[in-house]
Amino acid sequence: MTASFANPLLATPSRPLPRAVAVIGAGTIGPDIGYYLKSALPDLRLYLVDVSQKAVDSALLRFQEYSRKAVARGKMSEADAAAVTSNLFGTLDYADIADCDWVIEAATENLALKRKIFAQIEAVVSPDALITSNTSSLPAAQIFSELRHKGRATVTHFFAPAWRNPAVEVIRWEQTDPAVVDYLRWTFCMTGKVPLVTADVACFMLDRIFDNWCNESAMLLDRAIAAEVDSVAAEFVHAGPFFVLNLAHGNPIITETNTLQAEMEGDHYTPAPIFRSVDSWVTVPPGKRVEVAAETAQAVRERLLGILFSQSVDIVDRKIGDSADLDLGCRLALGFKNGPLDLMRTLGEPTSGNALMRLRAERTGMPMPQQPFADYQGFLRHILVDDLGDVKVITLRRPEAMNALHDEMNDEILSVIHRFENDPKVAGFVLTGYGTKAFCAGGDIGRFVDMLGDAPASEQYARDCSRLLVHLDRMKKPVVAALNGIALGGGFELAARCHSIVALKRAWIQMPEVTLGIVHGIGAMVVPYRRWPHATPTFNAMLRTAERLKASRAHELGIIDALADNYEQLIALAVARVDQLAGKVKPIGDAPVTVSIEPVEARAASGQILSRECIALMEQAILEAAAAKSFAAALEVGYKAFGLSACIESAREGITAFKEKRTPDFSRTK
């Protein structure tokens, strides 16, 4: 199950990004897969193939509707919309797809039909064209058994809505060329998806969770109604199982997939009979609930947890999928509020064990843990670690939050550094972000919400959040930040504490805290002025007006040491910088620096009105930190200022507006 690299973008692709793709099946999910590809690769030639002209016409119309809505919402420019709908072809003739370098089958879940389609595909495309299936349950070994060139085929399982949901399972089966799997992972990551590798078993990884979660919910209808089950499930998921089944018309799907699991793995997976007699469920939408008797709620809760944990430990024990991928996939693809292994950890062994014991008693045959409880928790959840020669590459992976920092990610990064910083075989470290959009979008502000009005708690919070950065300050081995995309707020504060920064040419930096009515807590009012004092006017503008700094300009100022055209070049530059800095790492100096600050209008570069009180607090902290007689003392000035900012009116308005997804109104603050 292991890939050549944990971070897909570290692999050298065996071929370029696709130039021509065909999607077979213009019904439900096929056009959505195509729309994702055209949005990510506008120059792509895309063919939508079906046996029905009506289905093809409807699919082409869907592209027009999607792009029109994207333009209306400001998500896409008119030019981008035109590109998405150009080089788009609908056809009933397989001969039209002969020059495609990738064909994705997205037809009905019927094994005989799929084999017929693959025979038609293989008859017209070149022997090296990739062939993948969007099946959610049928093992690759079954559906590709009659292909002549099996090494170029596998399953790529998308999740609805495929144009927006980032998760996609890539199946590693015994006859697929490993280079094909690596290429597909690289391609998906380059185009904004999160590829998750799984073994070739019925329902793979995530559908095993979803299908059995839904099937178990139906099994509970002997003691609860659908609305009660969904109300209890709302503790764990954003939408209850019966609400989702209604949305997806999923009753026949669960019958089909669980029948397959029962045939391959045992009768305990047999689908609930009620799925064959009910078309839709009477339930409650997300955010609503009905009252549930305590005894009923307890039974439903334990059984839902039991099936969730049963399937999760089975996936880990049988190496169907990676633990971190399982948790991430459940959040991204299935709408779980927390991954199942995280949930086991949070609830603890007694509660998790009780749920499993209840399942074992009431649903004989379901998988049970094969390892001690603690052994299911020993994995890195939010970072990936790879070796490039003697350099450790640490990739921040929280794609749902643009790789934003939080306490656990900080601790994971620190744990890897602690483990290897004294290892003579390790020359140094590279920090980069997952995907192509963001290095790091700052820090989560969730905990800060509860500290508004409490200066000492907020000050200590900033100090605690700096534990990784302070350790970087003391390191002898080099750490290089490789900005693969935007670096916001705490993301730039992290990069600034690394010993060198390299970046993609299209990357940019922004310090947006002032737009939330708060100051920067973990070094931005201190470190840039001491490392790059000649760029003081630039930092003044960035901190006080949230002005963006393009990577090209940062390179001119010496903030960024080298620029790259692409990801491969970026990582190569970062590794080279580690080698260049070996034995030459210099700490940030203790000597005070001279900083001058000119008056500025309380208005962001975007035009947003800002808080004068917040800007004044920031300016005072910058000047005090610059004059501090040691670097440590300067950092303390920043921590204290962050604590004070928690008590000003603009902070409450800014953080409240952020939670409510609106622009803050600082006109009534000082």
Side-chain angles (χ1 to χ4, degrees):
M1 289 305 304
T2 58
S4 55
F5 290 103
N7 179 346
L9 296 187
L10 296 183
T12 300
S14 56
R15 58 181 81 194
L17 286 167
R19 295 176 290 270
V21 174
V23 178
I24 313 297
T28 304
I29 198 169
D32 283 4
I33 294 172
Y35 187 78
Y36 135 68
L37 285 166
K38 280 292 288 179
S39 300
L41 303 169
D43 295 331
L44 181 75
R45 280 185 293 117
L46 180 69
Y47 297 84
L48 299 175
V49 186
D50 205 280
V51 295
S52 163
Q53 186 63 48
K54 182 179 179 181
V56 168
D57 293 341
S58 177
L60 295 174
L61 181 61
R62 196 188 305 183
F63 273 67
Q64 298 286 345
E65 293 173 346
Y66 281 175
S67 58
R68 184 167 58 249
K69 288 180 181 178
V71 171
R73 294 171 181 167
K75 303 291 186 181
M76 184 181 288
S77 68
E78 292 280 1
D80 289 340
V84 167
T85 53
S86 66
N87 286 322
L88 177 63
F89 310 97
T91 183
L92 310 183
D93 189 351
Y94 279 76
D96 291 339
I97 69 172
D99 66 343
C100 286
D101 41 33
W102 183 11
V103 182
I104 305 169
E105 173 272 320
T108 305
E109 291 284 84
N110 180 289
L111 182 59
L113 174 63
K114 288 181 184 293
R115 286 176 174 171
K116 179 181 177 181
I117 289 172
F118 295 133
Q120 291 176 280
I121 294 169
E122 200 166 36
V124 297
V125 300
S126 66
D128 64 345
L130 300 181
I131 298 175
T132 68
S133 172
N134 181 56
T135 179
S136 63
S137 58
L138 295 171
Q142 290 186 12
I143 61 177
F144 297 122
S145 63
E146 298 176 2
L147 279 186
R148 295 193 306 274
H149 304 285
K150 296 181 177 64
R152 44 88 169 267
T154 192
V155 170
T156 50
H157 176 210
F158 294 82
F159 293 84
W163 60 271
R164 187 176 65 196
N165 194 315
V168 57
E169 289 179 316
V170 180
I171 310 311
R172 187 185 297 279
W173 71 298
E174 60 182 11
Q175 296 199 55
T176 302
D177 182 347
V180 168
V181 174
D182 284 344
Y183 170 76
L184 288 168
R185 294 176 67 238
W186 176 82
T187 298
F188 284 130
C189 202
M190 285 290 291
T191 53
K193 292 286 186 184
V194 180
L196 309 168
V197 177
T198 86
D200 189 34
V201 297
C203 299
F204 314 119
M205 177 171 68
L206 296 181
D207 259 44
R208 297 182 78 83
I209 297 291
F210 176 74
D211 296 344
N212 286 293
W213 172 260
C214 292
N215 196 47
E216 200 66 26
S217 298
M219 294 288 188
L220 286 164
L221 293 177
D222 63 349
R223 67 190 73 186
I225 61 174
E228 291 175 327
V229 174
D230 275 5
S231 296
V232 174
E235 179 183 350
F236 312 113
V237 289
H238 294 290
F242 291 108
F243 179 86
V244 175
L245 286 170
N246 282 347
L247 203 63
H249 307 290
N251 292 3
I253 298 173
I254 303 302
T255 297
E256 187 175 280
T257 56
N258 273 65
T259 297
L260 177 66
Q261 289 184 76
E263 290 172 352
M264 300 186 73
E265 299 184 21
D267 290 343
H268 46 283
Y269 285 113
T270 299
I274 196 171
F275 280 126
R276 299 182 186 275
S277 59
V278 173
D279 292 324
S280 63
W281 308 96
V282 178
T283 187
V284 290
K288 303 291 184 180
R289 58 173 291 119
V290 297
E291 289 300 317
V292 186
E295 185 177 349
T296 301
Q298 178 71 2
V300 171
R301 185 178 191 271
E302 287 195 342
R303 279 275 292 277
L304 289 179
L305 287 175
I307 195 64
L308 180 62
F309 297 157
S310 164
Q311 295 305 300
S312 297
V313 298
D314 189 44
I315 287 166
V316 174
D317 289 338
R318 293 167 57 195
K319 296 182 170 54
I320 294 172
D322 175 79
S323 297
D325 282 358
L326 170 62
D327 269 10
L328 179 60
C330 284
R331 298 197 309 270
L332 293 182
L334 306 182
F336 279 84
K337 296 177 181 179
N338 297 100
L341 299 177
D342 268 351
L343 189 56
M344 285 178 67
R345 179 180 60 172
T346 300
L347 294 176
E349 186 170 1
T351 299
S352 301
N354 286 341
L356 284 163
M357 285 189 288
R358 181 165 200 152
L359 182 75
R360 182 170 60 186
E362 298 182 4
R363 296 278 281 117
T364 304
M366 281 295 174
M368 289 291 126
Q370 302 299 304
Q371 306 174 52
F373 180 86
D375 289 358
Y376 293 101
Q377 302 301 326
F379 64 96
L380 296 171
R381 288 163 163 80
H382 308 293
I383 64 172
L384 305 173
V385 182
D386 287 293
D387 292 315
L388 284 179
D390 58 359
V391 174
K392 292 286 179 184
V393 179
I394 300 173
T395 303
L396 285 57
R397 187 175 73 154
R398 290 188 67 213
E400 72 272 38
M402 296 178 70
N403 305 323
L405 297 165
H406 61 6
D407 286 343
E408 191 165 23
M409 180 187 277
N410 279 327
D411 288 340
E412 287 187 353
I413 298 170
L414 198 52
S415 72
V416 174
I417 289 175
H418 278 314
R419 181 180 175 188
F420 294 108
E421 64 182 328
N422 295 316
D423 186 338
K425 297 178 182 178
V426 176
F429 305 84
V430 169
L431 296 182
T432 193
Y434 187 84
T436 61
K437 293 182 179 179
F439 168 70
C440 176
D444 281 352
I445 63 172
R447 281 179 54 195
F448 184 59
V449 173
D450 300 328
M451 299 176 191
L452 290 172
D454 189 335
S458 299
E459 177 182 335
Q460 187 58 43
Y461 176 60
R463 194 175 288 110
D464 292 342
C465 287
S466 297
R467 57 192 178 278
L468 166 63
L469 308 185
V470 171
H471 187 82
L472 294 179
D473 297 335
R474 300 168 182 157
M475 285 184 63
K476 303 299 182 184
K477 284 186 178 177
V479 182
V480 176
L483 306 190
N484 57 304
I486 62 174
L488 302 181
F492 177 61
E493 290 178 293
L494 172 61
R497 303 294 267 278
C498 294
H499 307 114
S500 178
I501 305 174
V502 298
L504 290 175
K505 289 179 180 177
R506 59 172 174 74
W508 49 271
I509 300 163
Q510 188 180 30
M511 308 300 290
E513 278 81 346
V514 69
T515 65
L516 297 177
I518 60 176
V519 305
H520 309 79
I522 56 175
M525 298 184 297
V526 179
V527 175
Y529 295 96
R530 289 183 174 241
R531 285 195 65 180
W532 306 285
H534 57 281
T536 287
T538 296
F539 296 127
N540 286 344
M542 291 177 68
L543 268 61
R544 295 185 299 163
T545 68
E547 184 177 289
R548 290 185 182 183
L549 177 64
K550 293 182 178 180
S552 57
R553 178 57 180 155
H555 183 237
E556 292 172 359
L557 292 168
I559 300 166
I560 289 174
D561 294 313
L563 296 175
D565 293 313
N566 55 54
Y567 196 97
E568 185 177 4
Q569 188 181 97
L570 172 73
I571 299 302
L573 284 172
V575 170
R577 284 296 292 159
V578 169
D579 293 336
Q580 292 163 9
L581 289 170
K584 301 175 184 176
V585 171
K586 295 180 180 179
I588 298 173
D590 282 323
V593 292
T594 301
V595 173
S596 61
I597 299 179
E598 300 296 327
V600 67
E601 182 182 3
R603 186 181 295 272
S606 65
Q608 176 189 341
I609 299 298
L610 300 175
S611 163
R612 293 185 180 277
E613 184 179 20
C614 178
I615 291 174
L617 178 59
M618 187 181 297
E619 291 174 339
Q620 181 181 357
I622 291 169
L623 294 173
E624 287 185 13
K629 295 183 179 180
S630 71
F631 178 49
L635 291 175
E636 287 295 326
V637 171
Y639 303 150
K640 182 177 180 180
F642 182 77
L644 293 174
S645 78
C647 300
I648 59 179
E649 295 175 34
S650 64
R652 187 168 298 279
E653 166 60 16
I655 299 300
T656 300
F658 180 83
K659 289 174 60 182
E660 297 174 353
K661 297 182 180 180
R662 61 176 175 83
T663 301
D665 178 7
F666 294 125
S667 61
R668 293 188 296 274
T669 64
K670 295 181 182 178

